[in-house]
Amino acid sequence: MNDPKRGDNLIDNAREEIVGMAKEGLAHPSTKPVLTGAAIGAVAGAVLPVVSWPLGLLAGAGFALYKRLRP
């Protein structure tokens, strides 16, 4: 089970990470991997016929952030 006291809650961890990236910009260690994931997702979304690039961008950024939080 996820225990908020131990910091295992994915939503809280993601919020902390996103706030940290917003405050520190490119100096934050997660910013560059998440931006890279967003770019890869946008390119994949542009190439795939069913998915648009904004959806690919969000999916790529979300996946990269998830992999930073839960390797």
Side-chain angles (χ1 to χ4, degrees), residues 3-50:
D3 186 9
K5 294 177 185 173
R6 290 189 2 214
D8 288 340
N9 190 345
L10 181 63
I11 302 296
D12 290 338
N13 291 346
R15 187 186 77 65
E16 289 176 19
E17 199 73 11
I18 292 168
V19 168
M21 288 190 298
K23 287 182 180 178
E24 297 179 32
L26 288 176
H28 194 276
S30 293
T31 302
K32 291 177 186 172
V34 170
L35 288 177
T36 302
I40 292 170
V43 169
V47 172
L48 295 173
V50 178

Side-chain angles (χ1 to χ4, degrees), residues 38-62:
I40 292 170
V43 169
V47 172
L48 295 173
V50 178
V51 181
S52 64
W53 69 266
L55 183 61
L57 183 131
L58 287 174

Side-chain angles (χ1 to χ4, degrees), residues 10 17 30 33-34 37 59-71:
L10 181 63
E17 199 73 11
S30 293
V34 170
F63 180 74
L65 179 62
Y66 177 77
K67 291 307 287 179
R68 290 288 296 176
L69 296 173
R70 302 286 188 256

